Amino acid sequence: QVLVNITGTKWDPVKNMKFKGIKYIAAAHTYMNPHGVPSAGDWALERFGAIFLEGTEGISVESCEIERVDGNGIMLSGYNRNTTIQNSDLAFIGGTAIALWGRTNETEGDNHPQADGTDG
């Protein structure tokens, strides 16, 4: 399901990592995992990916191969800024090759200002 997990927060992001020339292959299927409905429409998505990024800035995936992962290839979840995915091959992906799914109202609460639409 998840071969690489890079997780930070909007307030303490993981910064400036580069993945170059790496082959990711054969992750577990995800079709029976919990799904969400990102757009309140008629399709669903799981918040997993062979490469999972959340709470990041300046991440680069370059010249990598992702194949036969039986789920999403790359998932950008919530807050991510200045992510680059280039010159990479994604083949025989069971779900979505590259998925971006934000979050809403994460900044609302006692310790954070009201949600302003930029929370991911």
Side-chain angles (χ1 to χ4, degrees), residues 16-58:
N16 304 321
M17 293 184 71
K18 186 172 193 173
F19 301 91
K20 186 172 182 178
I22 301 171
K23 184 172 186 174
Y24 303 94
I25 190 167
H29 62 78
T30 60
Y31 59 85
M32 294 298 288
N33 290 357
H35 285 63
V37 183
S39 63
D42 61 353
W43 65 281
L45 183 68
E46 66 274 359
R47 204 178 279 271
F48 294 101
I51 298 175
F52 180 85
L53 305 174
E54 183 163 12
T56 70
E57 294 179 0

Side-chain angles (χ1 to χ4, degrees), residues 2-3 6 15 17 29 38-39 43 48-49 51 62-63 69 89-91 96 103 111-113:
V2 178
L3 302 176
I6 308 299
K15 295 182 178 181
M17 293 184 71
H29 62 78
S39 63
W43 65 281
F48 294 101
I51 298 175
E62 183 180 340
S63 302
V69 293
D89 241 359
L90 291 93
T96 301
R103 295 186 186 271
N111 297 324
H112 306 293

Side-chain angles (χ1 to χ4, degrees), residues 80-96:
N80 294 281
R81 296 294 184 267
N82 302 314
T83 302
T84 302
I85 302 167
Q86 65 182 7
N87 301 323
S88 295
D89 241 359
L90 291 93
F92 304 104
I93 304 298
T96 301

